[in-house]
Each structure stands twice: as C-alpha cells, then as structure tokens.
Amino acid sequence: MHSSKLFSAVLAAGAASVVSAASNACSKDIKVTTPNPVISCEVVDANVIVDESVAGDLLLNGPKQITGDLIINNATQLISIQSSTITSIGGNFELDSLELLSTVNMQALKTLNKLNMVKLPQLNTLIFGTSGVTKANDIQVTDTFLSDLSGLNINSVDSLTITNNNKLTSFNSDLVNITTLLSVTSNGNNMEINMTKLQTAAEIQLSNVKSFVVPSLKTITQSLKFDTNPQLVTFSAKNITTIGDSVTFINNNKLTNVSFPLLTSVGDLTIQNNTALGAVEGFPKLQTVSGGVILRGNFDSVELPSLKDVKGGVTVFSTTDISAFCGFFNDAKSKKIIQGQESCKSNVKTANEGGSDGDSSTSSGKGSSGSSGNNTDNAVAALNVNNVLLGVSVIAGMAQLW
C-alpha cells in the first residue's frame, strides 16, 4: 500500500519535472543551426533565430505559436523556408539579405506583428495560410523578385511599405484602415493599386504608379503624395472630405485630370511640373487651406470657386496666359482670404521648375506681393546699371588725382 503510494508520488514528480523542463525549454530563445530542427513545444514563448550557416531547405515544424521574433538574416545559402504548423508570430518575422531564397511557404500562418522582407533578390513565391495573413501591424517588402502579394490578406495595418520590387506590377488589397503609412514606390513599371475597401489612411506616398483606385476612401489624416509617376493619367478621390496635411502632385508628366469633388479642407496644396495637366479644376468644394497653395505648370485654367480661407501664401505660375484668373487671387488677397504672400503670373517659362520665375514672367495685375512682374525686374536691372556707372565714375575720378 505504502509502496503503491510512493510509486504514484514518484510518477507525479517525474511528470512535473518533464512539464517544467519543456516549459523552460520553450521560454528561452531557440537558435536553429540545422535545416530540419526538432522543436518539441507548441508554444515558443521566446525568439527563434536561424543561424547564418543554415543552407538549403529550412523546415520549421513543431511550434504553433511564437510569441517573440522569428529572425532569419544573412543565411546566404538558404533556398526555401517552410512550416506547416506555425499559425502566429507575436513579434517580428524578419527575412533579410538571403541571396538565394526563392520560396517562403508558411501555409498555416494567419497573424503576425511585423513582417520585414528585405534584400531577397530571388524570392518569387510567398504563401501565407489558406486565406493569407489576416492580421499584421507593420509590413515591409523591399528588394524582392515577387510579382504577387496576394498572401497579404489584411484589413488593417499600421505601416505598409512596398519598394523596389521590380517584378511587382499590381497590388490588390482589402485593407480598410492604414493608421500610419502606405508607401508604394519604385516597383515594376505601370504599377496598379486597387484598394476598393480602404476608408481611412494617415500618410500615403506613391511613385512609379500607373493607377491608385480608392473609391471608398473618406479621410486622410496626414498627406497624400504623388511624386514622379510617369504613367499616371488620372486620379479621383470622390469621397475624400478632409486631408489633414498636404496634397502633392509633382512630376507626373502624363497626368491630365485630378478630381476631389468633396474635399473641403486641406493643409497644403501643391501641384507642380505635371506638364500634361491643362487645368486645375478638381477642387470645387475646397474652402480652407491651413497652410499654403503652390500651383506651377502649363495649365491655362484654375478654378477654386469655394475658397474662403488660406492661412499661408499662394503662388500660381503658368507657362500660359492665366491673367484672367490671376484677378481672382489678387481679389482674394485684398479681401484677406489669403493671409500670406500672394503671387500669380502668366507666361513664366520656368513655371514647371520651381524656384525663381526668371525674367520671362508678366505681371498678373495689382495688389499682390510679388505680382509686379517685369516692373520689379526692370527696377532691379536699372539699379544694377546705376551702381556700375557710379563705380566707373569713382574710378575715373581717382585716376585724375594721380
């Protein structure tokens, strides 16, 4: 009887020691040094770090959850990464400088905190779960060979950066909310972005994009920037009502139309060097600009019919004759609708370049600081000539003394 109780106690103690050992093993960082490691615990309450020496096909089976990071960096001989068990990564999933990596197949993965895929020049296959990763905070995809990001099936993200992926020419996303940043720059030619469910965003930065379709977007808390999109022809944001900081269209040489039919307030408005844009007429309800307005280009028509308050300055230069519209800005300045400096000029050869308007500008009319045009330029030229003549006279007088 006593021996039976003693035996049971020994078994219980042994079981407790096994659980404790397993618990300790899963609460410490795991360093992977072989391509097919044995990780016996379902939950790794720590980091999993793959050594740089691991080569070939890496199989990470066993754990279902990693509460810390999964880091695979500088393993230059690694060809593929696979796991059929990992469903969530609580920290960073980091893949950096893996020169031969061609495939990432995490077929059970559904949630992660941060995804960093950087310098993966051979990566062409990315598989996440049956319906893709549905939850993530920050995602960066930079310098890969990917042509498809359908595995990123997320509806909310803090930051999403997609840069320098030369084979990537389209991105279709069900994102609804972007709380910090969307940056899509310098990917494949004619990049097309469709985010038909996107409703709110903070900062949006786009370059080398052919189209950006966001029919449900209503609010941008920071900025919307289109900089150097050579194939962009048109952009429409039919439901956006407010933009907290700036709207910027610079160096989009095929852009012919910009439309914000419901936009009422913005921080700054800059439209410059969009050489095919013949008119700035897509802001019919814009009332308040808390910063300034810069419009420079080849346009021959500008319409801001609802403008009531500009806290900063206004600069409007065109290579064409916009003198008829410059009267509107001069009048707005005199009525103190424009509180900062105001300058509106026609026939400015360097209007697309920014900076000085050169010697070719013509006056827009009266009442604007900087609208004096050639009169100011001539006065400066006359002053310079007088200074030169005065210097010559002084030198001649001194010569006579000798």
Side-chain angles (χ1 to χ4, degrees):
M1 186 73 173
H2 291 291
S3 61
S4 177
K5 289 183 178 180
L6 179 61
F7 181 66
S8 298
V10 170
L11 284 178
S17 66
V18 170
V19 172
S20 176
S23 177
N24 288 336
C26 292
S27 62
K28 295 180 181 180
D29 288 354
I30 296 175
K31 187 169 185 179
V32 175
T33 57
T34 63
N36 193 3
V38 177
I39 305 175
S40 58
C41 44
E42 289 189 355
V43 178
V44 179
D45 194 16
N47 303 317
V48 176
I49 303 171
V50 177
D51 190 76
E52 297 177 6
S53 64
V54 176
D57 300 316
L58 174 63
L59 300 176
L60 290 174
N61 288 329
K64 292 183 178 180
Q65 298 178 42
I66 299 173
T67 64
D69 301 334
L70 174 55
I71 299 177
I72 310 173
N73 293 341
N74 300 310
T76 57
Q77 299 303 307
L78 197 60
I79 295 174
S80 71
I81 301 168
Q82 301 178 51
S83 175
S84 61
T85 63
I86 298 174
T87 61
S88 66
I89 301 172
N92 293 353
F93 183 18
E94 189 168 314
L95 306 172
D96 194 341
S97 302
L98 308 174
E99 295 179 3
L100 299 182
L101 183 70
S102 62
T103 301
V104 174
N105 185 350
M106 308 287 286
Q107 58 186 277
L109 187 62
K110 294 181 179 180
T111 65
L112 51 81
N113 181 31
K114 294 183 179 181
L115 173 64
N116 292 319
M117 299 194 299
V118 180
K119 296 181 182 178
L120 312 173
Q122 302 298 323
L123 181 64
N124 57 53
T125 302
L126 179 66
I127 300 172
F128 284 154
T130 55
S131 59
V133 170
T134 57
K135 182 180 180 181
N137 289 330
D138 294 287
I139 297 175
Q140 180 180 5
V141 183
T142 302
D143 296 317
T144 76
F145 202 62
L146 289 169
S147 59
D148 181 14
L149 290 178
S150 58
L152 302 179
N153 190 26
I154 52 180
N155 59 23
S156 181
V157 69
D158 288 341
S159 176
L160 175 58
T161 301
I162 304 172
T163 303
N164 292 328
N165 305 284
N166 293 331
K167 299 293 290 184
L168 189 65
T169 58
S170 66
F171 181 47
N172 300 317
S173 173
D174 287 335
L175 268 169
V176 176
N177 182 41
I178 301 170
T179 58
T180 303
L181 172 68
L182 171 66
S183 178
V184 184
T185 60
S186 304
N187 296 290
N189 289 332
N190 305 324
M191 178 78 168
E192 296 181 336
I193 304 172
N194 291 289
M195 293 184 171
T196 56
K197 297 181 180 180
L198 185 65
Q199 295 181 12
T200 62
E203 179 87 5
I204 298 177
Q205 301 172 359
L206 304 172
S207 73
N208 204 35
V209 167
K210 181 179 181 180
S211 64
F212 183 51
V213 179
V214 282
S216 302
L217 186 59
K218 295 180 180 179
T219 303
I220 297 177
T221 58
Q222 296 180 26
S223 299
L224 174 63
K225 299 177 180 179
F226 287 84
D227 189 351
T228 312
N229 297 275
Q231 299 300 319
L232 181 70
V233 175
T234 184
F235 175 72
S236 175
K238 64 180 182 179
N239 285 309
I240 293 180
T241 58
T242 60
I243 297 178
D245 291 340
S246 61
V247 175
T248 303
F249 289 85
I250 298 178
N251 301 326
N252 308 289
N253 57 19
K254 288 187 178 181
L255 184 67
T256 60
N257 182 62
V258 174
S259 178
F260 291 79
L262 298 182
L263 184 66
T264 60
S265 65
V266 68
D268 294 292
L269 175 62
T270 300
I271 299 177
Q272 180 172 304
N273 196 25
N274 307 288
T275 52
L277 188 64
V280 180
E281 299 174 342
F283 303 87
K285 295 189 176 182
L286 182 61
Q287 297 180 15
T288 303
V289 180
S290 58
V293 176
I294 298 176
L295 306 177
R296 303 180 65 119
N298 298 334
F299 46 82
D300 53 21
S301 175
V302 181
E303 292 185 8
L304 296 172
S306 301
L307 195 63
K308 294 181 178 179
D309 185 20
V310 181
K311 302 295 184 185
V314 171
T315 298
V316 183
F317 290 168
S318 178
T319 59
T320 69
D321 185 0
I322 57 169
S323 55
F325 186 77
C326 282
F328 168 84
F329 280 121
N330 296 332
D331 187 54
K333 174 62 177 177
S334 65
K335 293 180 178 178
K336 301 189 183 301
I337 291 175
I338 299 172
Q339 299 181 32
Q341 300 294 313
E342 180 260 323
S343 181
C344 184
K345 297 183 181 182
S346 300
N347 303 321
V348 180
K349 292 181 180 179
T350 56
N352 284 302
E353 300 173 13
S356 173
D357 57 301
D359 295 328
S360 59
S361 62
T362 59
S363 174
S364 64
K366 299 178 182 179
S368 65
S369 62
S371 63
S372 54
N374 287 341
N375 293 335
T376 300
D377 296 336
N378 292 338
V380 171
L383 179 60
N384 290 335
V385 170
N386 289 336
N387 287 339
V388 171
L389 293 175
L390 179 61
V392 171
S393 300
V394 170
I395 293 172
M398 294 178 65
Q400 290 178 1
L401 292 175
W402 290 96

